[in-house]
Amino acid sequence: MSLPASPVHAQRLYCHTPSVRGSGPVAYWMSRDQRLHDNWALLQAQHMARTRQAPLIIVFCLVPSYSGGARRHFDFMLTGLRQVADSAAKLGIPFVLLTGEDPPGELAGFCRTHAIGTVVMDFDPLRTKQQWQHTFAGHWEGECLEVDAHNVVPCRWASEKQEYAARTIRPKLQRQLPEFLDPFPELVPHPVPWRGSLLPEPDWEAASRSLAAPEYGPPLSWSSGEETALDLAREFIASGLSAYAEKRNDPTAGAVSGLSPYLHFGQIAPQRVALMARDANWAPAESREGFLEELVIRRELAENFCFYNPVYDCFGGLPAWAQQTLDDHRGDHREVVYTFEQWEAARTHDPLWNAAQQEMVQTGKMHGYMRMYWAKKILEWSASPEEALSTAITLNDRYELDGRDPNGYTGVLWSIGGVHDRPWKERPVYGKVRYMNDRGAARKFDVQAYIRRFFPATASERQGTLPLG
């Protein structure tokens, strides 16, 4: 009996090897979207395997020293992956964990050994993952297909160029949302068992021992995995969404979803959360629309920026007006200049900044409003914009559970260099880049309550951090 057409929208697919047609087993190279359900890439892989009555396997390539990742990142990820492997086994889908510093080479060798015919990959806009995929596709003889399971509107399809701002990408996404914001089909038990040579069982303890990851910050209490992510999303939609529009910029209100680590590791699909928010008719329209603006429009704007701008984490990635104005103010007097070690240890004269840094170190996450303030003050008290970018990105990627993410890079470049923003009133150091200060924060929320929570030092202890000048 023939199967129906693929449940995956054709515009989610991108073939890296258009002249090659695979046969035999299908491997899903899981990377960015680390979940079993609501995963268009895995659904496409299963469809292809069922069509040719072939086995299906999931392969994950663990890189022990990946991009400066800390132990907290790897622990969160491996816990979630172990759950994926256990759930996949119940559906007759083997999970293979490869370990090494050369994912394209490791995967190519595995595919040749086990006669894989087709590899389905996750879309990822970041340089390292793009390079891995191009290297693999260029040196492997089989079929190689990419599926965008991370964006509601596929990044390659949403726009063919780097968008200037939210106002330029918003109408494009809104026009296409009805076509792509559709329900997910179920992943079914795979009917064809693995018949090839013996597959290696994942050795999770050995994988953990292989990690070259430093212990940045204390251990975290976050639970990991797609079931936890879905429960958290349900709780937010049911009890938090209604107040989102009113309280989302208040770091003391607990009004945000807390989903960013789960979205970053692909433990929940943004499309699933968008469907839940869209259908939450009990919540005010302003809150639903504001949440969807952040979840879909702003997040996919960040995807667009990183995909089309190869220097998305550098001074050269800033818009021309921002580069010019920051260049014009390089020689401006700074009231204080801190070293990286002082930033990392939260040893500045500003207790609000210190509290934000401590929130990130202690919890693995910083409230979005404070991320903007935090990054802008790094610009104000650094010797150069390049140094500020390096400091902010390094700290973000070192401590945030959602580090090394398009949202993170875009947020830092927005704060420090006006990406997706416009020129504002000119002032020292910032030039025409938007300015923020603690007085503005105090108009939005109880600054002292936030400081007491994350930086509960006495006044005399604060004075002993670092003086101005």
Side-chain angles (χ1 to χ4, degrees):
M1 184 178 70
S2 62
L3 292 173
S6 171
V8 182
H9 196 295
Q11 302 306 335
R12 293 192 181 278
L13 313 180
Y14 179 81
C15 187
H16 286 261
T17 54
S19 61
V20 178
R21 290 293 176 267
S23 60
V26 176
Y28 166 41
W29 180 6
M30 177 178 283
S31 177
R32 192 184 194 201
D33 292 289
Q34 300 169 21
R35 62 185 180 276
L36 203 63
H37 303 286
D38 297 345
N39 186 334
W40 292 121
L42 183 53
L43 287 165
Q44 176 65 23
Q46 183 173 62
H47 172 78
M48 297 175 77
R50 292 180 69 193
T51 299
R52 66 182 67 155
Q53 297 185 332
L56 169 66
I57 61 171
I58 300 172
V59 182
F60 188 90
C61 298
L62 177 68
V63 182
S65 63
Y66 177 68
S67 191
R71 171 64 66 166
R72 57 174 56 184
H73 303 111
F74 282 103
D75 287 347
F76 188 90
M77 182 180 74
L78 288 173
T79 299
L81 286 174
R82 193 165 190 167
Q83 296 173 29
V84 169
D86 291 344
S87 298
K90 296 174 183 177
L91 294 177
I93 306 172
F95 183 99
V96 174
L97 182 66
L98 303 179
T99 302
E101 299 296 331
D102 177 23
E106 296 283 347
L107 182 63
F110 174 87
C111 289
R112 293 187 185 103
T113 298
H114 297 281
I116 301 299
T118 298
V119 171
V120 176
M121 311 182 297
D122 293 331
F123 167 80
D124 196 310
L126 300 185
R127 282 191 308 270
T128 299
K129 299 291 189 67
Q130 288 277 312
Q131 290 166 358
W132 287 356
Q133 292 183 353
H134 288 303
T135 299
F136 174 76
H139 292 84
W140 184 58
E141 302 79 13
E143 183 180 27
C144 196
L145 186 71
E146 172 198 288
V147 180
D148 191 340
H150 211 77
N151 294 294
V152 180
V153 180
C155 182
R156 292 179 185 271
W157 183 252
S159 177
E160 296 180 348
K161 63 179 182 179
Q162 179 182 327
E163 293 293 333
Y164 185 77
R167 62 179 171 77
T168 65
I169 200 172
R170 187 181 295 111
K172 297 180 179 181
L173 293 174
Q174 290 177 335
R175 185 170 58 250
Q176 297 178 81
L177 275 176
E179 183 177 357
F180 289 98
L181 190 56
D182 49 4
F184 288 96
E186 286 292 324
L187 186 72
V188 300
H190 197 67
V192 183
W194 180 259
R195 295 187 292 257
S197 53
L198 189 65
L199 295 173
E201 287 289 328
D203 188 335
W204 300 102
E205 285 69 30
S208 183
R209 290 193 301 270
S210 76
L211 298 175
E215 294 276 4
Y216 290 127
L220 302 177
S221 59
W222 291 76
S223 297
S224 181
E226 58 181 311
E227 288 186 12
T228 298
L230 187 57
D231 287 344
L232 183 61
R234 287 170 175 154
E235 180 182 352
F236 169 73
I237 297 297
S239 61
L241 180 61
S242 292
Y244 184 79
E246 179 185 357
K247 298 182 177 180
R248 68 178 183 178
N249 284 329
D250 182 349
T252 68
V256 293
S257 71
L259 286 171
S260 63
Y262 302 95
L263 292 167
H264 168 71
F265 283 101
Q267 295 180 356
I268 191 168
Q271 184 168 339
R272 170 60 62 191
V273 185
L275 288 165
M276 295 167 69
R278 183 197 65 182
D279 296 339
N281 295 324
W282 61 86
E286 184 181 7
S287 285
R288 283 184 284 130
E289 291 167 4
F291 180 67
L292 289 171
E293 169 75 13
E294 297 297 322
L295 177 70
V296 180
I297 307 299
R298 300 288 176 159
R299 193 183 55 79
E300 299 199 9
L301 176 63
E303 299 271 314
N304 167 275
F305 174 67
C306 290
F307 185 63
Y308 288 110
N309 190 328
V311 285
Y312 52 76
D313 54 353
C314 303
F315 185 81
L318 304 181
W321 69 264
Q323 292 188 44
Q324 182 62 58
T325 195
L326 290 171
D327 279 338
D328 291 343
H329 289 269
R330 284 182 182 275
D332 290 0
H333 171 72
R334 272 79 168 156
E335 61 177 348
V336 64
V337 173
Y338 293 117
T339 66
F340 179 83
E341 290 73 23
Q342 291 166 333
W343 290 117
E344 185 173 31
R347 293 183 62 238
T348 81
H349 67 281
D350 180 1
L352 181 57
W353 191 95
N354 295 341
Q357 173 69 8
Q358 285 299 310
E359 179 187 10
M360 180 173 67
V361 171
Q362 295 169 15
T363 71
K365 190 177 183 300
M366 190 193 302
H367 188 278
Y369 180 87
M370 290 309 303
R371 281 197 190 192
M372 296 186 289
Y373 177 87
W374 172 86
K376 285 183 176 294
K377 291 305 173 184
I378 294 177
L379 170 64
E380 187 172 342
W381 302 322
S382 292
S384 70
E386 289 88 351
E387 183 177 299
L389 286 169
S390 176
T391 296
I393 288 171
T394 300
L395 291 174
N396 184 81
D397 289 357
R398 181 172 290 185
Y399 291 104
E400 292 274 3
L401 270 180
D402 63 1
R404 291 167 305 283
D405 190 272
N407 264 348
Y409 296 124
T410 306
V412 168
L413 267 70
W414 178 91
S415 300
I416 292 175
V419 165
H420 301 145
D421 206 358
R422 61 174 177 84
W424 290 73
K425 177 183 176 181
E426 195 162 10
R427 62 178 65 241
V429 182
Y430 287 81
K432 296 179 182 178
V433 173
R434 186 194 299 249
Y435 175 73
M436 290 178 71
N437 62 20
D438 53 0
R439 294 186 299 278
R443 289 192 291 270
K444 291 184 176 292
F445 64 94
D446 187 343
V447 165
Q448 293 305 317
Y450 179 79
I451 293 172
R452 285 194 299 271
R453 179 178 179 188
F454 294 110
F455 191 60
T458 65
S460 60
E461 287 172 330
R462 288 177 191 159
Q463 288 175 1
T465 53
L466 276 179
L468 289 177

